């Protein structure tokens, strides 16, 4: 009976394994990957690397599952979810979801003031003052980086990351 | 037990996601840039794009990369290459139909396929197909007005969707998405010829992208093509059979300009000019159509079509809240089809006849205004909108010599295409308003979509249509889906307002043929009634099984019942040596079949990417009953046209092998049997295979050279047995031009 149960579980896992990689999965991975190319300058006493998601309608559980056992800058990763600007606390990365379009201007002001690295897929995000924008061309992910905020008092984006991203003028 | 099942499922999903994402996390950022995500499609839903594979209804997506690798430059060819069940033939000696390529899905009519560009309805051609083609009695969209280099991807919805999009979405909907943000500028050229029968072509294309603020863009593309005619005349016959000689110029524009406050201004434009010439039947020297003093050896009249087509869309959209968006747009489309006749005469004018004529023309204008709203709350998506559409159809008379009876004989009008007469002239319009609503809801693994659309036409009245589609995700890799809907095809203005007078019959047994409006007193006396809408009922059911992450299988059964299909009647004799015909709601039909698709992609040991798509489509149309009293039920030819002139089934096998710097695209198609009737004899044509190959080599990061061919093994359809004038049937789904070989080059900058 136990063997049957085991086979059933394995087959169930394997059958689920064969799903197409989605944009959300890829975005979740890229958020962590680009974090490796950003250096936080100020003394960082936090024990965890914090990624905050503003209005989590996008990722379901991708981020939690992916970063459960990962480390970024030698720190375990903690995922926070907030619904409004007042809830944003100290964070290394703030991911602004597509469903936050109307709050975007206020978020950018807040994060610029607090020198937070922001990432979003929203159209025109980098040019409007966000730090990193994800976008897709022919099913492939691409990056745009705002050239006004690559080297701030709080963080610096590596030249390696800048070399593979499209640099846009922003902060208007 | 149920609780344990849910726990097990959640556990397996979590493990799955972790394994998946971890695999991606092991890749470098550069490698992640090369990962292709799932294909998304907007069609069939007003609540945003989603993975096309897991849609409630069957959708196929053709990507920009696939189009580029195929080497194809005409949209009808692209659809024929990738879509099992799409049919586009090569008419010749069929007056205007030679010059406008239309397409069908599932063996139905060209006007039973709705074509959208960027999700907005594209106008149809003004041309009414009148003779021996699949679209006889209809006006379809001229698909080759869109430069292929401008296409980002193509979405094909294989289901009735009139409850969402309105008239014509019966066999399916083709949505052409133009290139948007971030595409590479490019120029390309292609030169080719048929192995036999001529048909030299040369084509140049350019695409240019300009970035605007906030991810906006201005994309412009142009394409110019010169195509020589082909000739496959029957031995001993003077009438060439082949594609027309044509020059085709297309221009396309796609713009997005994001503004402050989440407002976007967008638009697109298409322009096409085509000068196309093909022959009619040869007039023998001793024919009573000829005047031996003008043409001692007989003559071959030519029909020269000059076609202008343009469309313009302007729109503005934005968001009221994070969950509420709106979209207001205006689209105007115009098509003008003008007939000129060359190397001909008007026999009734004797020696005073000119040899070239302006035979008049047709035009069609369509202006559509849409206001759409979308709101998301909780697990509901609600979308609704209003539409106002104005349509105008006009016939312009030809010059007098093109139609007049000069008294020398009764054989009046320009040979090849007698001109439209003043009595044919019309400038008619109509409008319609529509209101539509769609609700999407997800409950755990169930997804429901409910759509309804009310539409009121100023000429024939109101319709109300409904659609319910649902899917159940049995597990991540298996989706079951089904839909049921009603639909309609509004009689087009070209069907209700077209009229012309021609000459038909054999060389010396000619009759005046009047194609009449249904409102014409003569037509009414012969049984004509006001046209009503074709009404349809649809049912689709199937599944999608993701066998592995790189291997998927989908299969869908479909059933479509159409009442009151519009056709042209048989030729009805009246008076002396005169016959009449008119449009009528002639028959009720049912069409059923299956679509199966297998998709596989893998990375080989040598790091090459291999993509394989295999698809099969089967459809069978049967006439259930006849409404018409003019004798269509006795016409073997007309019954056959509905039931058998399009292949019953199609097989497509597509392979793409990519190992930098080489790309090989191979497409093998099998076209099922079809039949044709000539001289009351039925001929069934056997299935045929056709193979297309394109091999390209990247000689630098910017430059790629390719050689290739379509129908490379030079396959021909069986020859006509009963038709003593034409060697091949024009219903052949892959034409009758044999092998075509080409070289092409592209440069990105």
């Amino acid at each position: 009976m136990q063997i049957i149960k085991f086979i059933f579980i394995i087959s169930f896992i394997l059958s689920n394994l064969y799903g197409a990689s989605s944009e959300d999965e890829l975005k979740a991975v890229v958020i962590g990957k680009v974090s490796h190319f950003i250096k936080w300058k100020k003394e960082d006493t936090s024990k965890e690397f914090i990624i905050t998601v503003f209005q989590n309608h996008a990722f379901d559980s991708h981020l939690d599952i992916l970063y459960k056992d990962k480390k970024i800058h030698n720190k375990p990763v903690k995922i926070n979810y907030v619904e409004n600007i007042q809830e944003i606390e100290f964070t290394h990365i703030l991911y602004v979801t597509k469903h936050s379009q109307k709050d975007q201007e206020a978020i950018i002001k807040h994060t610029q003031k607090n020198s937070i690295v922001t990432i979003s897929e929203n159209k025109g995000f980098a040019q409007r003052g966000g730090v990193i924008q994800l976008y897709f061309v022919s099913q492939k992910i691409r990056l745009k980086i705002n050239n006004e905020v690559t080297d701030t008092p709080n963080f610096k984006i590596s030249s390696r990351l800048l070399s593979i991203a499209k640099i846009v003028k922003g902060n208007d | 037990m149920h609780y344990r099942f849910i726990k097990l499922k959640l556990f397996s999903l979590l493990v799955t996601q972790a394994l998946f994402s971890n695999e991606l996390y092991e890749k470098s950022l550069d490698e992640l840039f090369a990962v292709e995500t799932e294909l998304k499609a907007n069609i069939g839903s007003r609540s945003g794009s989603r993975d096309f594979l897991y849609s409630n209804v069957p959708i196929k997506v053709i990507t920009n990369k696939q189009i580029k690798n195929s080497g194809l430059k005409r949209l009808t060819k692209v659809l024929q290459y990738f879509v099992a069940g799409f049919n586009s033939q090569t008419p010749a000696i069929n007056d205007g139909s030679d010059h406008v390529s239309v397409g069908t899905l599932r063996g139905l009519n060209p006007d039973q396929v709705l074509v959208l560009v960027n999700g907005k309805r594209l106008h149809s051609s003004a041309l009414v197909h009148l003779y021996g083609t699949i679209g006889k009695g209809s006006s379809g969209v001229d698909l080759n007005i869109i430069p292929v280099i401008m296409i980002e991807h193509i979405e094909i919805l294989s289901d009735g969707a009139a409850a969402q999009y309105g008239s014509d979405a019966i066999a399916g909907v083709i949505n052409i998405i133009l290139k948007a943000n971030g595409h590479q500028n490019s120029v390309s050229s292609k030169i080719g010829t048929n192995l036999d029968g001529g048909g030299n072509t040369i084509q140049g294309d350019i695409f240019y992208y300009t970035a605007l603020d906030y991810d906006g863009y201005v994309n412009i593309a142009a394409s110019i093509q010169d195509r020589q005619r082909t000739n496959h005349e029957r031995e001993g016959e003077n009438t060439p059979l082949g594609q027309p000689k044509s020059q085709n110029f297309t221009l396309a524009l796609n713009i997005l300009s994001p503004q402050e406050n989440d407002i976007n201004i967008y638009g697109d434009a298409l322009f096409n000019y085509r000068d196309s010439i093909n022959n009619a039947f040869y007039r023998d020297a001793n024919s009573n159509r000829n005047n031996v003093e003008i043409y001692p050896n007989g003559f071959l009249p030519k029909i020269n079509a000059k076609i202008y087509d343009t469309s313009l869309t302007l729109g503005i959209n934005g968001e009221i809240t994070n969950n509420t968006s709106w979209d207001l747009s205006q689209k105007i489309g115009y098509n003008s089809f003008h007939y000129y006749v060359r190397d001909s005469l008007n026999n009734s004018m004797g020696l005073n006849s000119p040899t070239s004529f302006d035979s008049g023309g047709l035009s069609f204008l369509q202006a559509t205004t849409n206001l759409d709203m979308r709101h998301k709350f909780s697990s509901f998506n609600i979308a609704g909108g209003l539409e106002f559409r104005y349509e105008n159809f006009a016939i312009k008379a030809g010059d007098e010599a093109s139609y007049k009876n000069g008294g020398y004989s009764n054989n009046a009008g320009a040979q090849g295409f007698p001109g439209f007469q003043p009595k044919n002239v019309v400038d008619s319009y109509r409008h319609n308003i529509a209101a539509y609503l769609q609700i999407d809801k997800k409950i755990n693994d169930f997804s429901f979509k409910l759509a309804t659309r009310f539409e009121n036409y100023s000429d024939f009245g109101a319709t109300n249509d409904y659609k319910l589609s649902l899917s159940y995700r049995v597990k991540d890799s298996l989706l079951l889906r089904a839909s049921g809907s009603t639909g309609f095809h509004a009689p087009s203005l070209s069907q209700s307002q077209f009229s012309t007078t021609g000459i038909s019959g054999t060389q010396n047994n000619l009759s005046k043929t009047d194609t009449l409006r249904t409102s014409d007193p003569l037509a009414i006396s012969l049984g004509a009634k006001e046209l009503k809408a074709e009404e349809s009922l649809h049912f689709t059911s199937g599944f999608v099984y993701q066998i592995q992450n790189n291997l998927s299988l989908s299969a869908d059964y479909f059933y479509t019942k159409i009442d009151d299909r519009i056709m042209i009647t048989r030729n009805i004799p009246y008076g002396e040596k005169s016959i009449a015909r008119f449009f009528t709601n002639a028959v009720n039909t049912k069409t059923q079949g299956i679509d199966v698709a297998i998709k596989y992609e893998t990375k080989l040991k040598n790091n090459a990417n291999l993509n394989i798509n295999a698809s099969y489509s089967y459809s069978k149309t049967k006439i259930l009953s006849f409404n018409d009293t003019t004798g269509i039920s006795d016409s073997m030819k007309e019954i056959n046209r509905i039931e058998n002139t399009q292949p019953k089934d199609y097989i497509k096998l597509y392979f793409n092998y990519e190992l930098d710097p080489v790309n090989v695209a191979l497409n093998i198609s099998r076209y099922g049997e079809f039949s044709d009737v000539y001289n009351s004899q039925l001929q069934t044509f056997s299935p045929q295979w056709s193979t297309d190959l394109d091999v390209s080599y990247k000689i630098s990061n910017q430059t790629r050279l390719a050689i290739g061919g379509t129908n490379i093994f030079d396959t021909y359809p069986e020859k006509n047995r009963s038709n003593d004038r034409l060697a091949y049937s024009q219903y052949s789904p892959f034409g009758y031009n044999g092998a075509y070989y080409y070289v092409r080059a592209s440069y990105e900058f």
Side-chain angles (χ1 to χ4, degrees), chain A residues 5 8-9 12-13 15-26 29-30 32-34 36-37 55 61-62 65-67 69-72 98-103 105 122-125 127-128 133 135-144 160-161 164-166 172, chain B residues 4-5 8-9 11-22 24-30 32-40 51 63-64 152 181-183 209 211-215 256 258-262 319-323 376 475-477 546-549:
Chain A
K5 200 185 264 181
F8 182 65
I9 290 170
F12 216 129
I13 290 168
S15 66
N16 283 319
L17 179 63
Y18 299 126
S21 55
S22 71
E23 282 187 6
D24 284 346
E25 284 166 346
L26 190 57
V29 170
V30 168
K33 283 285 179 181
V34 298
H36 290 285
F37 295 91
Q55 295 186 345
S61 50
H62 288 307
I65 297 164
L66 176 63
Y67 292 105
D69 55 354
K70 301 286 186 304
K71 285 189 172 178
I72 297 176
K98 261 186 177 177
H99 297 272
S100 313
Q101 192 85 32
K102 294 300 288 184
D103 301 316
E105 197 181 332
N122 285 336
K123 273 195 166 56
F125 183 73
Q127 208 177 357
R128 290 182 203 272
Q133 183 186 334
Y135 66 107
F136 287 83
V137 177
S138 297
Q139 299 166 254
K140 290 177 180 169
I141 199 163
R142 297 288 179 264
L143 303 179
K144 279 185 184 177
R160 166 81 183 108
L161 188 60
I164 58 172
K166 185 174 178 182
D172 57 345
Chain B
R4 288 175 69 186
F5 176 80
L8 178 63
K9 178 152 190 174
F11 171 70
S12 68
L13 279 172
L14 291 174
V15 173
T16 300
Q17 286 186 9
L19 287 171
F20 243 149
S21 302
N22 278 330
L24 281 177
Y25 202 82
E26 296 305 313
K27 294 180 187 289
S28 69
L29 208 47
D30 288 316
L32 290 173
F33 274 26
V35 170
E36 285 189 359
T37 57
E38 80 276 28
L39 276 170
K40 288 190 167 184
D51 186 347
T63 66
N64 166 261
E152 154 63 35
N181 197 22
H183 283 273
Y209 161 78
L212 298 182
D213 280 348
Y214 313 125
D215 295 322
L256 175 71
Q259 309 291 306
E260 296 299 326
N261 305 322
D262 304 320
E319 295 191 348
I320 298 166
T321 68
N322 284 335
N323 292 319
K376 183 177 191 302
K475 52 185 180 179
D476 254 21
S477 57
Q546 189 92 33
I547 302 161
Q548 297 177 10
N549 66 331

Side-chain angles (χ1 to χ4, degrees), chain B residues 212-253:
Chain B
L212 298 182
D213 280 348
Y214 313 125
D215 295 322
Y217 50 83
V218 177
N219 289 337
I220 186 162
S223 174
I224 187 161
Q225 184 194 57
D226 179 85
R227 193 170 65 148
Q228 297 301 307
R229 59 160 302 117
T230 57
N231 181 9
H232 298 277
E233 69 189 19
R234 189 181 268 281
E235 207 171 318
E237 175 62 45
N238 291 326
T239 300
L241 172 73
Q243 71 188 22
K245 169 182 162 62
S246 69
Q247 283 85 44
N248 202 49
F249 173 70
T250 56
L251 190 67
L253 192 70

Side-chain angles (χ1 to χ4, degrees), chain B residues 34-321:
Chain B
V35 170
E36 285 189 359
T37 57
E38 80 276 28
L39 276 170
K40 288 190 167 184
N42 276 300
I43 199 166
S45 173
R46 293 185 186 273
S47 51
S49 63
R50 72 273 187 236
D51 186 347
F52 85 101
L53 200 60
Y54 290 108
S55 166
N56 284 17
V57 288
I59 292 174
K60 181 177 178 66
V61 177
I62 305 167
T63 66
N64 166 261
K65 188 176 169 185
Q66 286 176 321
I67 296 171
K68 205 155 65 173
N69 289 341
S70 74
L72 297 168
K73 301 287 184 187
R74 302 182 81 207
L75 182 53
T76 44
K77 295 290 178 197
V78 169
L79 291 164
Q80 198 166 29
Y81 185 96
F82 288 106
V83 183
F86 178 84
N87 189 25
S88 180
Q89 299 169 344
T90 314
I93 322 178
N94 269 301
D95 291 357
S97 302
D98 298 9
H99 312 285
V100 175
S101 293
V102 293
T104 67
L105 287 169
R106 293 176 163 176
L108 293 171
N109 260 359
D111 61 0
Q112 290 163 336
V113 178
L114 176 65
V115 179
L116 311 173
V117 171
N118 288 341
K120 312 280 185 200
R121 174 184 289 265
L122 185 63
H123 62 283
S124 70
S125 163
L127 176 71
V128 190
H129 300 276
L130 290 177
Y131 295 99
T133 64
I134 46 170
K136 183 182 175 185
S138 68
S139 297
V141 170
D142 184 348
L143 291 163
N144 291 326
I145 61 172
I146 302 166
V148 164
I149 197 170
M150 187 62 157
I151 296 173
E152 154 63 35
H153 69 269
I154 304 169
E155 304 169 353
I156 298 121
L157 169 68
S158 301
D159 193 23
Q164 292 159 303
Y165 298 105
S167 178
D168 309 342
I170 290 178
V173 185
I174 298 171
N175 187 17
I176 296 146
I177 305 296
L178 303 180
K179 280 182 180 170
N181 197 22
H183 283 273
Q184 195 76 34
N185 297 332
S186 64
V187 288
S188 64
S189 65
K190 183 178 176 182
I191 300 171
T193 189
N194 285 95
L195 184 63
D196 190 26
N200 295 353
T201 56
I202 180 164
Q203 178 160 350
D205 302 273
I206 184 165
F207 169 80
Y208 193 79
Y209 161 78
T210 306
L212 298 182
D213 280 348
Y214 313 125
D215 295 322
Y217 50 83
V218 177
N219 289 337
I220 186 162
S223 174
I224 187 161
Q225 184 194 57
D226 179 85
R227 193 170 65 148
Q228 297 301 307
R229 59 160 302 117
T230 57
N231 181 9
H232 298 277
E233 69 189 19
R234 189 181 268 281
E235 207 171 318
E237 175 62 45
N238 291 326
T239 300
L241 172 73
Q243 71 188 22
K245 169 182 162 62
S246 69
Q247 283 85 44
N248 202 49
F249 173 70
T250 56
L251 190 67
L253 192 70
N254 195 28
I255 297 174
L256 175 71
S257 175
Q259 309 291 306
E260 296 299 326
N261 305 322
D262 304 320
I263 300 285
N264 297 302
I265 296 171
Y266 65 90
D268 60 62
L270 297 168
F271 172 78
N272 172 244
Y273 171 67
R274 190 177 308 152
D275 187 332
S276 182
I277 187 161
N278 210 2
N279 58 276
F281 280 106
Y282 192 83
R283 271 59 173 168
D284 290 338
N286 59 359
S287 160
N288 62 10
R289 299 183 183 200
N290 185 31
N291 186 328
V292 287
E293 292 184 59
I294 299 176
Y295 296 112
N297 299 315
F299 66 102
L300 186 69
K302 316 276 188 333
I303 297 174
N304 183 189
K306 296 198 175 188
I307 304 166
Y308 289 90
D309 194 292
T310 186
S311 74
L312 176 68
T313 309
L314 274 177
I316 182 166
N317 63 31
E319 295 191 348
I320 298 166
T321 68

Side-chain angles (χ1 to χ4, degrees), chain B residues 620-667:
Chain B
K620 184 175 170 57
T621 295
K622 189 162 177 49
I623 294 176
L624 297 172
S625 57
F626 297 87
N627 304 329
D628 143 273
T629 54
T630 62
I632 285 178
S633 58
D634 299 326
S635 169
M636 189 199 293
K637 197 172 181 69
E638 295 309 321
I639 292 171
N640 188 66
R641 192 190 315 282
I642 292 277
E643 294 188 340
N644 299 313
T645 49
Q646 303 196 57
K648 292 264 182 306
D649 61 351
Y650 301 79
I651 296 173
K652 298 272 172 198
L653 301 168
Y654 168 78
F655 305 85
N656 193 83
Y657 175 88
E658 183 186 19
L659 178 62
D660 233 11
V662 175
N663 191 87
V664 180
L666 173 69
N667 196 46

Side-chain angles (χ1 to χ4, degrees), chain B residues 395-413:
Chain B
I395 298 177
K396 189 180 168 197
D399 60 36
E400 193 181 4
S402 73
Y403 58 81
K404 85 167 188 181
N405 188 334
Y408 179 79
S409 75
N410 280 330
N411 212 339

